[in-house]
Amino acid sequence: MTAAMVENDQASEGRPWDYLLQTWRELDVPEGWRAEIDEGQIALVPPPHAHHNSIAAKVQRRLYRGLPEELEIYQALGVHVAPLDKLYVPDLVVMPSELVDGADPEASDPMDASDALLVVEITSKGNARDDRTKKYRAYARAGVPMYLLIDRFDTRGATATLFTEPNEDGTYKRSDPAPFGKPLTLPEPFGTTILTEEFPV
């Protein structure tokens, strides 16, 4: 189903978000692809480049070094940004495992983004602007305490930036950028350092 078809049928199904979510649940997405809800439409995101996956694996390995037992790292986990009725599938999400384990086994509902402690997005050539703007604002509005944006396509050079202290206006008060080659320290509960020098460029 295309995004346009979803948009045209909303009026007959009551609240647009409910219809979009039901459609999202029923989609048969090709392996490796992700379906997200943004701007009142469902968008399919193609599988990322091998370098993208390599960076995700290296970040995940670093995060596990100091991760408390009650937290877990998830790939391809849908998160609902309730204030904006958006649904994203970040590259990595850190969330209390009891919330994910306790989810309804009969439903494929997304988790609430406000329960995430950290969201990681790694830009691809086609979606870098969304990660820098739409998703940045959405995660801040949801109150996600840490947003790690790994931007291989930053015009100033490949950079990893940790955004913290979210505002309700959709911004983060603090940003700590690290050009590739420089370490980036994540505060507690992670207490680890991301070694960007390991990332393929």
Side-chain angles (χ1 to χ4, degrees):
M1 177 176 288
T2 67
M5 288 170 64
V6 170
E7 199 170 31
N8 290 339
D9 289 343
Q10 287 175 1
S12 63
E13 297 292 331
R15 198 164 91 88
W17 168 256
D18 296 332
Y19 176 63
L20 285 168
L21 182 58
Q22 185 59 37
T23 304
W24 178 83
R25 288 187 192 115
E26 296 170 357
L27 281 177
D28 185 12
V29 180
E31 186 174 353
W33 288 64
R34 291 177 287 178
E36 299 187 325
I37 301 175
D38 196 3
E39 306 296 335
Q41 296 184 339
I42 295 176
L44 291 181
V45 181
H49 186 276
H51 286 177
H52 185 288
N53 288 321
S54 174
I55 291 172
K58 293 178 192 318
V59 171
Q60 187 163 348
R61 187 180 306 117
R62 284 281 163 184
L63 289 174
Y64 269 128
R65 293 189 174 196
L67 199 68
E69 275 191 30
E70 66 271 16
L71 300 178
E72 189 56 85
I73 305 167
Y74 300 95
Q75 299 179 20
L77 180 69
V79 295
H80 176 208
V81 180
L84 302 174
D85 273 347
K86 295 176 183 282
L87 190 159
Y88 293 132
V89 183
D91 293 301
L92 299 172
V93 182
V94 178
M95 188 173 284
S97 56
E98 66 176 1
L99 296 178
V100 178
D101 294 345
D104 184 348
E106 300 300 320
S108 55
D109 289 341
M111 304 304 295
D112 195 320
S114 66
D115 290 323
L117 277 77
L118 170 70
V119 167
V120 180
E121 293 283 10
I122 303 163
T123 60
S124 297
K125 216 165 200 175
N127 74 356
R129 180 178 293 180
D130 286 350
D131 290 346
R132 296 173 194 145
T133 57
K134 289 182 182 179
K135 292 186 178 182
Y136 165 88
R137 290 192 294 266
Y139 296 139
R141 281 289 305 276
V144 176
M146 298 184 208
Y147 174 40
L148 176 57
L149 174 63
I150 300 174
D151 193 348
R152 298 182 295 142
F153 302 98
D154 191 314
T155 55
R156 299 162 297 180
T159 303
T161 304
L162 179 66
F163 297 98
T164 53
E165 301 179 32
N167 284 315
E168 289 184 4
D169 66 358
T171 61
Y172 282 91
K173 293 179 184 176
R174 182 181 172 95
S175 64
D176 295 298
F180 277 24
K182 302 288 186 182
L184 178 62
T185 300
L186 271 60
E188 297 299 336
F190 305 105
T192 191
T193 299
I194 304 297
L195 301 180
T196 65
E197 65 191 28
E198 299 177 344
F199 296 168
V201 178

